[in-house]
Amino acid sequence: MAAVGALLLSALVFSDAAIARNYSAERIFATINEVSGNFSRKRVKLGNTGFSFSTILQNGMNIWAEANPDGKEGVIARIYEPENRDKLMIEVHHIRFPSFAEAPTAGHGFLALNNYNRIITDRQKSNSVFGFLAGGEFQDGRGYGRMARIAAISHGRDVLIIHAAFDYDDYPKYENALARFFGGLEMENESDALKSLNEETAKGGEVFLYPQGWKVKEADTGDKPRGTSDYNLSLEGEEYPNLVVHIRPVDLAKGREVAAGMISAFTKQISESPKASFAGEAEMETVRNSSGENLAYSYARGWDTTQGGRFVTEIYVQKNAALSSISILGLNTYDVRRNIGSFDKDAQHIIFKGWVTGVSAYLLAQNSLAQDRNDVVRNFDLKEIVR
């Protein structure tokens, strides 16, 4: 059962202090789209992947690109100064997920997979198909080690991660070059991620989107009020991640009562199981608009299995767009954010891809129910972010 929503987003967007001991978030995410001085615009050709781009590079930086990157996962290009390649390396990764991957979520998962444990997202310059993120490696008693700036671009199940890595204390040396590199990004192709989605129309007329590759099963609601719809979604052939979408013709307060029942059932299930236990306390949040009106409620709690699995279950209740109804969304998924380094490489990638695809499907359903269709379509437009 259960879901993510604004609570997940707050987990993705840490406060400035989470990474910015010396550098504000504004400084970390600074962008400059100007060719001047010792800089030139260069093209990074990535075959027929649809991810070729140009950007502003400092003169003297080399570009290496895989001769035949089509269909290849992993590093397909590197950008570096030969004499400083150990100080600053920009790697371009292609990752293929089982289904649609939201760009900021894929970027967050990538940073967690690569041992960055302080992660922030620039929400003002991100949408479903493009994201700017930064990460830092932090150890108690030792402070920050490595730091990274990344851009994530989604074409559906295919994602490009542009990953610039350097020592935390060296950021002042490279921030101008990185501001121009990330600020000057121009993708040659539009994202076709919207084409990788399906839609489902509920009994009350509400429409939600879900990724291709997910199986949707509608539950029987014969004994429930008219306009009620219940759905179970699962990634084809996989136990995790899995989703629920409940749509009710009631107000938010009543929806919160339904969610409270789901939380009670989940708590009882884990508490009484000999094969599972909670990891920490539950986190809860109320989402309000600028006028202080309640728009949504969220709940999240991690849990572990005796076999070593780490999971998170989240529940989210929100008002739907335009119609007099609410939705309660749920997600069970692997948790990439908790000590992923303790697993072997194969398991790490299963957890990483499972978390990204689960969270992406959850956010997609949530946003498509809470926003009107024009806003949803704009959220999949690269031109809204990358000019």
Side-chain angles (χ1 to χ4, degrees):
M1 18 179 311
V4 178
L7 189 62
L8 173 71
L9 295 181
S10 68
L12 295 181
V13 188
F14 289 90
S15 67
D16 291 355
I19 185 173
R21 183 191 66 193
N22 297 321
Y23 319 123
S24 67
E26 290 77 13
R27 184 176 174 185
I28 290 170
F29 289 123
T31 56
I32 302 171
N33 189 5
E34 177 185 342
V35 178
S36 61
N38 192 34
F39 291 86
S40 305
R41 179 165 289 278
K42 299 289 179 65
R43 183 177 185 229
V44 181
K45 183 170 174 55
L46 299 174
N48 297 315
T49 62
F51 285 114
S52 294
F53 64 91
S54 69
T55 193
I56 300 169
L57 290 180
Q58 190 166 330
N59 295 336
M61 295 194 80
N62 287 358
I63 300 173
W64 169 86
E66 185 76 36
N68 183 23
D70 302 353
K72 176 182 172 62
E73 281 201 77
V75 177
I76 58 174
R78 290 188 175 93
I79 302 166
Y80 58 92
E81 279 187 305
E83 63 273 21
N84 288 318
R85 63 186 303 161
D86 295 334
K87 299 290 186 179
L88 172 65
M89 174 64 71
I90 301 173
E91 292 187 329
V92 181
H93 299 251
H94 170 234
I95 305 170
R96 173 162 289 179
F97 292 89
S99 68
F100 164 70
E102 195 228 25
T105 301
H108 183 95
F110 175 88
L111 289 169
L113 179 67
N114 285 278
N115 300 312
Y116 295 99
N117 55 2
R118 298 291 187 271
I119 299 170
I120 55 175
T121 302
D122 186 348
R123 289 285 163 192
Q124 293 185 338
K125 297 175 184 174
S126 300
N127 64 10
S128 289
V129 294
F130 187 90
F132 278 140
L133 299 93
E137 290 181 347
F138 183 83
Q139 294 184 21
D140 290 336
R142 299 181 62 181
Y144 287 94
R146 299 287 283 167
M147 183 174 166
R149 278 194 70 173
I150 72 169
I153 303 95
S154 172
H155 280 196
R157 61 183 300 215
D158 290 291
V159 173
L160 196 75
I161 303 285
I162 304 172
H163 172 216
F166 44 90
D167 285 342
Y168 184 91
D169 292 334
D170 285 344
Y171 182 61
K173 299 178 186 177
Y174 304 119
E175 63 179 312
N176 181 50
L178 291 171
R180 293 174 190 266
F181 177 88
F182 287 104
L185 279 175
E186 293 182 2
M187 306 305 298
E188 294 185 2
N189 297 93
E190 294 297 320
S191 172
D192 56 1
L194 203 57
K195 297 177 181 178
S196 70
L197 310 178
N198 297 326
E199 68 176 41
E200 182 75 23
T201 301
K203 292 184 178 71
E206 301 89 348
V207 176
F208 69 89
L209 299 175
Y210 65 93
Q212 294 174 5
W214 284 73
K215 183 179 180 181
V216 178
K217 182 178 180 181
E218 186 173 4
D220 181 16
T221 58
D223 60 341
K224 295 178 180 177
R226 185 177 179 180
T228 296
S229 295
D230 289 340
Y231 301 93
N232 296 306
L233 291 81
S234 58
L235 190 58
E236 200 69 50
E238 301 292 337
E239 182 178 6
Y240 296 101
N242 58 70
L243 295 165
V244 297
V245 178
H246 300 314
I247 297 172
R248 298 286 186 272
V250 298
D251 61 18
L252 190 61
K254 183 62 178 178
R256 191 180 186 187
E257 292 178 13
V258 176
M262 295 169 62
I263 293 169
S264 295
F266 163 66
T267 302
K268 184 174 186 291
Q269 179 185 8
I270 299 299
S271 297
E272 295 181 358
S273 173
K275 297 182 178 180
S277 59
F278 284 117
E281 297 300 316
E283 298 177 59
M284 291 175 282
E285 183 178 349
T286 300
V287 181
R288 298 181 175 90
N289 62 16
S290 58
S291 301
E293 178 189 8
N294 293 344
L295 299 178
Y297 301 98
S298 58
Y299 165 96
R301 195 166 188 184
W303 52 280
D304 298 337
T305 67
T306 54
Q307 291 80 22
R310 294 184 179 89
F311 298 87
V312 62
T313 291
E314 309 201 15
I315 297 173
Y316 191 76
V317 191
Q318 66 177 7
K319 291 183 177 181
N320 293 333
L323 300 168
S324 299
S325 65
I326 58 93
S327 49
I328 306 166
L329 300 102
L331 173 68
N332 284 321
T333 188
Y334 305 108
D335 195 348
V336 75
R337 298 164 295 178
R338 286 195 290 126
N339 198 23
I340 191 172
S342 64
F343 296 91
D344 63 40
K345 290 295 182 183
D346 288 343
Q348 287 181 23
H349 282 275
I350 291 171
I351 295 168
F352 161 57
K353 291 187 175 183
W355 183 82
V356 169
T357 52
V359 170
S360 297
Y362 163 74
L363 292 174
L364 178 64
Q366 176 201 332
N367 292 334
S368 57
L369 283 164
Q371 300 174 352
D372 65 40
R373 181 50 62 96
N374 289 335
D375 287 338
V376 172
V377 171
R378 275 196 298 272
N379 209 32
F380 281 80
D381 188 353
L382 268 177
K383 295 193 296 295
E384 289 289 316
I385 303 294
V386 185
R387 302 290 179 179

